[in-house]
Amino acid sequence: MLKQTINIAYSNQTTWICESTDPDGDTDCATPGTVLYTKDNAASTGDRTIHVCGDRIMSLDGHQDGPTDASPTGALVHEISHLAGSWCDHQYGEDVVLQRAQDNNPFAPMFAEAYRYYVMHWSDN
């Protein structure tokens, strides 16, 4: 799936839609803290759309804890991996990825957060 993620990242088939972060809106961008998102069924339907929530991505610095500990690049890797078929996450952050691996969770490699962690840290080793 990593190869598919890379192929999607370099393709010209990805669509970007900028959405309002109005809390009264009817998209996932209405949820505070949502920076980018893809539809849950995007991989199975071939939908290559990444929804961008205003300018929130600019608030990511890669040094925070919790769901916003990603950098802008890391957040993009996470969403692009969903387009390739990785699973949706209900927990975020590098600590979650490491805990899943430590627990020998057989599904750990299927989550988008694991792809973000791997891609952003592959050269650290």
Side-chain angles (χ1 to χ4, degrees), residues 30-48:
T31 304
T34 300
V35 176
L36 303 168
Y37 74 93
T38 55
K39 298 289 185 178
D40 289 341
N41 63 351
S44 62
T45 63
D47 179 3
R48 298 288 186 252

Side-chain angles (χ1 to χ4, degrees), residues 36-114:
L36 303 168
Y37 74 93
T38 55
K39 298 289 185 178
D40 289 341
N41 63 351
S44 62
T45 63
D47 179 3
R48 298 288 186 252
T49 303
I50 296 178
H51 301 262
V52 181
C53 300
D55 63 353
R56 286 182 183 158
I57 195 165
M58 302 312 292
S59 67
L60 299 178
D61 65 8
H63 299 291
Q64 300 172 27
D65 293 325
T68 58
D69 71 351
S71 65
T73 304
L76 289 171
V77 169
H78 177 107
E79 291 307 321
I80 291 169
S81 73
H82 281 312
L83 298 179
S86 68
W87 293 359
C88 292
D89 305 271
H90 298 289
Q91 295 177 309
Y92 301 93
E94 294 173 1
D95 290 344
V96 171
V97 173
L98 296 173
Q99 188 62 53
R100 285 177 180 152
Q102 184 178 356
D103 293 345
N104 292 318
N105 182 325
F107 302 109
M110 297 303 295
F111 289 95
E113 195 69 354

